[in-house]
Amino acid sequence: MNAAAASQPLRVGGVPEHLNLPWYRFVEGGGAVRWVDQPGGTGEMVRGLADGSLDAAGVLTEGAGAAIAGGNPARIVARYLGSPLRWGVHVAAASRFADEASLADARFAVSRPGSGSQLMAHVLAARLGFSIPPARFVEVGTLEGARAALAEGRADAFLWDRFMTSPLVASGEWRRIGEQPTPWPAFVVVATPEVLAGRMDDLWDALHRVWDEARNLMTDPDAVPAIAERFGLPLDEADAWFDSVRRGHPAPVGPAVIDG
């Protein structure tokens, strides 16, 4: 890594959602990183790590593992969330699909190939005893893209964080016909080889300060209304998420995971 690159703030990516509020608070408080919203989710982040537009990112555990297994040079360096992610299974309000079991022939919207929304669709299908061929995945880019695809009939179902989609369910735009939790802790921090080689002290400093923000958040009596207001969540949904989340201390993961 050249001296000019090493002097720049780390570019850290993450989804613009409730779980990253500690990062937002850290950055808004003067933290020395450049936060980059990634509305396209895991697929967008692993692409950014591969092409050098990101230095680190908070990535779904399953997406990070799949990307590394597929040749992405980035590596997992720490846990971020110790609790699973609760993926809602969503269809349009007027959809013919009534429940999870009816989805065997459905077309699934996914943010990008290899994204969490695609991987968790496979997990859902495996639990229900069917498979999803490649032709039945419809790339939509973002949550807004999924809304358009379901409304226009280009896709039938979409898996996304059930808390972030709760306003769409409450409004009647979508129905939630099931839920698929991850069978593992939800999020890890992933960094590029350049960061591992020369800027891990910077990243660890940021992670420990984000962890401090997370601990402060968990004891803040105003945290739930702040989450609901900032991310447009119903208060009861923000409260349910807040009660379920477990933060993973930013300790290094084992060598076997880092080595892919």
Side-chain angles (χ1 to χ4, degrees):
M1 179 178 296
N2 61 48
S7 68
Q8 298 298 312
L10 288 171
R11 299 160 300 170
V12 180
V15 289
E17 296 179 3
H18 53 302
L19 59 97
N20 281 319
L21 185 54
W23 277 104
Y24 285 112
R25 289 191 168 190
F26 167 56
V27 172
E28 289 161 7
V33 303
R34 181 159 68 87
W35 179 259
V36 186
D37 277 339
Q38 302 282 283
T42 295
E44 184 177 10
M45 285 183 275
V46 298
R47 186 178 302 173
L49 291 164
D51 68 20
S53 59
L54 292 176
D55 299 307
V59 181
L60 285 165
T61 303
E62 61 271 25
I68 291 168
N72 193 301
R75 291 294 180 264
I76 298 169
V77 296
R79 298 178 183 89
Y80 180 62
L81 280 186
S83 46
L85 188 66
R86 294 166 61 182
W87 293 79
V89 184
H90 306 92
V91 297
S95 170
R96 66 182 175 87
F97 297 97
D99 53 33
E100 292 178 337
S102 67
L103 292 173
D105 65 341
R107 298 161 299 167
F108 285 81
V110 298
S111 55
R112 282 173 175 75
S115 67
S117 52
Q118 183 177 44
L119 292 166
M120 291 308 297
H122 283 303
V123 172
L124 172 73
R127 173 168 66 80
L128 297 173
F130 62 86
S131 60
I132 308 171
R136 284 203 277 113
F137 286 116
V138 180
E139 185 175 351
V140 298
T142 64
L143 177 60
E144 291 304 309
R147 292 177 69 184
L150 266 60
E152 296 163 7
R154 291 183 286 110
D156 303 307
F158 183 59
L159 276 73
W160 203 255
D161 182 328
R162 58 147 291 157
F163 296 105
M164 289 306 299
T165 58
S166 57
L168 302 177
V169 175
S171 72
E173 179 177 342
W174 284 0
R175 285 186 289 117
R176 184 181 299 121
I177 61 172
E179 188 172 306
Q180 179 62 61
T182 59
W184 42 72
F187 278 85
V188 290
V189 179
V190 182
T192 63
E194 291 77 14
V195 171
L196 268 69
R199 300 200 64 184
M200 279 305 296
D201 286 348
D202 293 340
L203 182 56
W204 280 120
D205 179 67
L207 287 174
H208 282 287
R209 291 183 61 188
V210 168
W211 173 248
D212 288 342
E213 291 287 353
R215 285 191 300 184
N216 292 338
L217 188 67
M218 300 309 287
T219 58
D220 182 350
D222 297 321
V224 171
I227 291 166
E229 180 178 1
R230 179 158 190 160
F231 297 101
L233 301 180
L235 192 61
D236 60 340
E237 291 283 344
D239 189 46
W241 174 76
F242 193 78
D243 284 345
S244 70
V245 73
R246 299 191 304 277
R247 293 282 175 184
H249 192 278
V253 298
V257 178
I258 295 174
D259 290 344

